[in-house]
Amino acid sequence: MSAIPTRRIPAAVTLLALLALTACTVGPSHAAHARQVTAAQPSPSAPASTPSAAPSATAKPAFKSLAWYVSQVPTFPEAPPPQPIPLTATGSAAFWHRLPTDQKVAFITIDDGGLARPPGVIDFIWEARIPVTMFLNSPAAEEHTDYFRQIEAVGGVVENHTITHNSLAGRSYDYQKQEICGAADKLEGLFGKRPTLFRPPFGEHDSTTLRAAHDCGAKAVFHWTETVHEGKVRYQTPEKVVQPGDVLLMHFRPALMDDLLAALKAIHRAGLTPALLEQYVR
């Protein structure tokens, strides 16, 4: 693929037609970033343009408007071609806090889905080309399918976060398998692709979790290395800086726009580029 001119966050996949929201957007050819778009393309929820006076060259976007958020996104270098992490056949899914890679990339993940779904997030992901992995609870995904399909269509990938969001550690194999496989079945039916990554609620897991996740089709189970809430990055490691392979955790909450922006700025300060987690686990 030819190089793309400088942009805020590089994309490495072709735009999926937004009219085909019911189709799966992720497959073997899904690339590391949201997609390729040109500046002339409208955002998915933008209304049809109408004639208006030309804006002032010195006009600044309104604080916390979509244009303001996009204007705050730093410019990233192109991400390197992804080098997937080899997986061994052990009968259990791999477990990682941080993806074991030296490539200069970090990963944005968003959990749950039932509490809040800010509508501006869809356009922000589109305009800023943000690669995100969504670990969804299946009831939230079923109730708000259209919202998550729109994020999927502009670069997001849907993965598994159980049915009930109960802690799995210490529970029986049958209980954990039902929570993981039941959610995977539902998400596959809704989005046309079976999840291959899993995040246990609260990060709590045991060896049974890894075995059940594997048996439900998950290749890897992910914890995190930073959390982001209300626009503040909270580091889980003493370095207090995003490292290559780090996984940043946030949730579908009212301040998600601020959280995404804070994550992007932290990744940029570390000299890294946001990438799509699924491209590194195959």
Side-chain angles (χ1 to χ4, degrees), residues 17-279:
L18 290 174
L19 295 178
L21 290 178
T22 57
C24 171
T25 63
V26 181
S29 63
H30 194 79
H33 293 285
R35 62 222 165 109
Q36 294 179 354
V37 296
T38 63
Q41 289 176 304
S43 61
S45 63
S49 60
T50 56
S52 60
S56 168
T58 59
K60 294 182 179 180
F63 180 61
K64 292 203 171 182
S65 64
L66 173 62
W68 181 86
Y69 279 104
V70 173
S71 74
Q72 299 300 303
V73 175
T75 300
F76 292 87
E78 293 282 348
Q83 297 176 356
I85 305 303
L87 298 172
T88 58
T90 63
S92 293
F95 175 79
W96 290 310
H97 288 267
R98 167 189 289 149
L99 191 79
T101 181
D102 293 327
Q103 292 193 283
K104 292 186 175 182
V105 293
F107 307 100
I108 294 174
T109 65
I110 315 173
D111 279 16
D112 300 348
L115 179 61
R117 292 154 304 282
V121 165
I122 300 168
D123 286 339
F124 189 30
I125 290 173
W126 165 281
E127 295 288 348
R129 302 169 178 87
I130 308 172
V132 300
T133 297
M134 300 178 283
F135 287 98
L136 300 180
N137 301 124
S138 57
E142 183 173 23
E143 184 174 357
H144 308 286
T145 305
D146 184 64
Y147 179 84
F148 299 118
R149 281 179 178 166
Q150 289 184 68
I151 295 179
E152 186 185 48
V154 299
V157 180
V158 172
E159 299 292 359
N160 190 349
H161 197 43
T162 72
I163 300 172
T164 65
H165 203 271
N166 289 328
S167 177
L168 298 179
R171 306 298 290 265
S172 70
Y173 172 82
D174 288 343
Y175 178 88
Q176 296 200 45
K177 185 178 180 183
Q178 171 56 32
E179 280 287 319
I180 302 170
C181 284
D185 292 343
K186 177 60 69 174
L187 294 170
E188 182 178 18
L190 293 172
F191 300 99
K193 168 193 170 289
R194 191 166 187 82
T196 59
L197 306 181
F198 174 67
R199 174 171 282 148
F202 319 107
E204 295 173 354
H205 70 286
D206 56 19
S207 60
T208 301
T209 310
L210 304 184
R211 183 162 58 95
H214 172 273
D215 294 346
C216 294
K219 298 177 180 178
V221 175
F222 277 93
H223 202 266
W224 54 85
T225 40
E226 289 86 23
T227 63
V228 193
H229 180 53
E230 296 184 342
K232 182 176 178 60
V233 177
R234 294 170 172 83
Y235 296 91
Q236 312 294 303
T237 57
E239 298 93 342
K240 303 298 182 184
V241 65
V242 181
Q243 301 288 328
D246 272 9
V247 178
L248 289 85
L249 164 68
M250 59 197 71
H251 294 81
F252 284 99
R253 290 174 176 162
L256 182 54
M257 299 276 281
D258 294 312
D259 295 344
L260 287 167
L261 182 58
L264 293 172
K265 289 182 175 181
I267 292 169
H268 183 263
R269 284 195 300 271
L272 308 177
T273 298
L276 193 62
L277 191 57
E278 285 72 8
Q279 285 301 294

